[in-house]
Amino acid sequence: MTARIPHFDPRTVPVVGVDAHLPPVPLAAQTPQALRARFARPPEWQPEVRVEGRFADRAPAQAAVLVPLVQRDELTVLLTQRTQHLSTHSGQVAFPGGKQDPEDRDAVATALREAYEEVGLEAGQTEVLGSLPVYETGTAFIVTPVVALVQPDVVLKPNPYEVAQVFEVPLRFLLDPAHHQRHRLQWQGMEREWWSMPYDDAGHERYIWGATAGMLRNFYRFMVA
């Protein structure tokens, strides 16, 4: 594989817009009961992002991530900080997930297996609600986001090789487009655009951007449709 991914700090790329004019998802729609109903009877809608500009010369690979919604007083989204030595997306905030194995029967199986391998989340502690549309990353991963409810008393065991930290962000924050910042970068004659959703976690910035933010943006569009 010949990587053509630009090396830059995404925090230094200027914000070209914030979508504060768009409505947030009502809190009443962010309960487990409301989410079960929405996934059971999905609305007519279109994802905002399906394919990122390609930035790596490699064969496309099927993958899946788990979007774990922890059932606290208000739902939170469980995310990971990837370790620095990984070959792709090192150091970035991500959902638990990875490439599909031949033994995986479908994207749900991939997402649950990867979540167990990465953070120790057992399938029996999840309630899969459904999937969001496939999202193709600039590094040629064709990703299916699988949304699931997670019990609040779950005890996680992060894999130290892959996961530097596990943390939670309120779903309310991520489904409010006032926190969705748009960025644009020119590189090798191509224009790349992406979202970021920086979250202040008790004084520590969780910089959510790229594919993870793009999938969350699609989740927002699904919820307000």
Side-chain angles (χ1 to χ4, degrees), residues 14-152:
V15 175
V16 297
V18 179
D19 287 345
H21 61 286
L22 296 175
V25 175
L27 280 179
Q30 298 182 39
T31 65
Q33 297 85 350
L35 283 159
R36 291 185 186 104
R38 174 145 292 235
F39 276 95
R41 295 179 296 278
E44 291 288 333
W45 74 290
Q46 290 295 323
E48 195 159 343
V49 190
R50 282 189 180 271
V51 182
E52 295 180 347
R54 184 67 59 85
F55 280 88
D57 296 322
R58 54 166 291 160
Q62 297 289 330
V65 297
L66 192 69
V67 183
L69 307 178
V70 185
Q71 298 183 76
R72 306 206 183 278
D73 292 340
E74 289 186 13
L75 293 178
T76 64
V77 179
L78 188 148
L79 292 160
T80 71
Q81 186 93 35
R82 291 167 62 82
T83 53
Q84 292 291 343
H85 62 263
L86 296 175
S87 59
T88 56
H89 308 290
S90 60
Q92 293 186 14
V93 171
F95 297 116
K99 286 199 300 184
Q100 186 173 20
D101 281 354
E103 298 79 15
D104 296 336
R105 67 181 181 275
D106 54 21
V108 172
T110 299
L112 293 175
R113 174 184 56 75
E114 285 283 344
Y116 178 72
E117 292 176 2
E118 286 188 22
V119 300
L121 177 58
E122 297 190 20
Q125 297 172 309
T126 67
E127 177 189 339
V128 174
L129 299 175
S131 298
L132 297 173
V134 165
Y135 185 105
E136 187 168 344
T137 72
T139 46
F141 287 103
I142 302 171
V143 183
T144 299
V146 176
V147 182
L149 296 170
V150 176
Q151 297 174 12

Side-chain angles (χ1 to χ4, degrees), residues 176-195:
D176 183 347
H179 304 135
H180 298 181
Q181 301 179 349
R182 289 180 282 119
H183 303 258
R184 187 176 300 124
L185 175 70
Q186 293 285 342
W187 185 74
Q188 289 193 353
M190 296 178 64
E191 184 173 84
R192 184 180 185 187
E193 295 188 1
W194 69 88
W195 276 275

